Amino acid sequence: VQLQASGGGLVQPGGSLRLSCAASGSIFSINEMGWYRQAPGKQRELVAAITSEGSTNYANSVKGRFTVSRDNAKNTVYLQMNSLKPEDTAVYYCHANMKTRWYSPNTDYWGLGTQVTVSS
């Protein structure tokens, strides 16, 4: 199983970016998909997550600015980031909790991370 993220980069404060992450490989079902981030010297934190039914969860710091969405047919999760702030600068990691077989336990998988830098 592989999680391939794209869409990071450098953006000015107030700007927007859209991250995408596609899961591929032997996948039976995906429960939750989402994004975490880790800034230098800080712990990794949840940014946003979405279940297969569409229920969402956001960090307080991004509510109203970020939107997580998902295409179940494509095993892909998106993160639309608007009104970006310098404090949003971090490496963003895609996450998926999934089964690779019907009998497999739910397991967490991570992408390699994509850098988001918000700076003027």
Side-chain angles (χ1 to χ4, degrees):
V1 174
Q2 186 176 24
L3 297 180
Q4 183 66 49
S6 61
L10 173 65
V11 64
Q12 293 186 341
S16 298
L17 281 176
R18 188 186 193 220
L19 304 182
S20 300
C21 176
S24 62
S26 178
I27 299 170
F28 176 75
S29 64
I30 303 178
N31 301 313
E32 184 177 274
M33 298 186 80
W35 299 90
Y36 287 69
R37 68 185 180 187
Q38 187 167 18
K42 295 187 176 182
Q43 289 188 332
R44 189 175 296 189
E45 62 175 0
L46 172 70
V47 177
I50 184 168
T51 68
S52 57
E53 293 81 17
S55 296
T56 57
N57 183 30
Y58 293 93
N60 287 333
S61 60
V62 307
K63 284 181 180 178
R65 300 188 297 122
F66 291 10
T67 302
V68 64
S69 61
R70 176 171 171 171
D71 186 333
N72 290 330
K74 296 181 179 180
N75 291 332
T76 300
V77 63
Y78 307 95
L79 185 67
Q80 178 65 44
M81 304 185 291
N82 298 328
S83 303
L84 282 160
K85 304 176 181 180
E87 50 264 42
D88 294 317
T89 296
V91 177
Y92 284 68
Y93 296 91
C94 175
H95 166 262
N97 181 267
M98 70 174 78
K99 289 177 177 282
T100 56
R101 298 285 188 271
W102 66 268
Y103 51 81
S104 301
N106 292 318
T107 304
D108 291 322
Y109 291 86
W110 296 90
L112 292 179
T114 184
Q115 177 70 45
V116 172
T117 302
V118 185
S119 175
S120 56

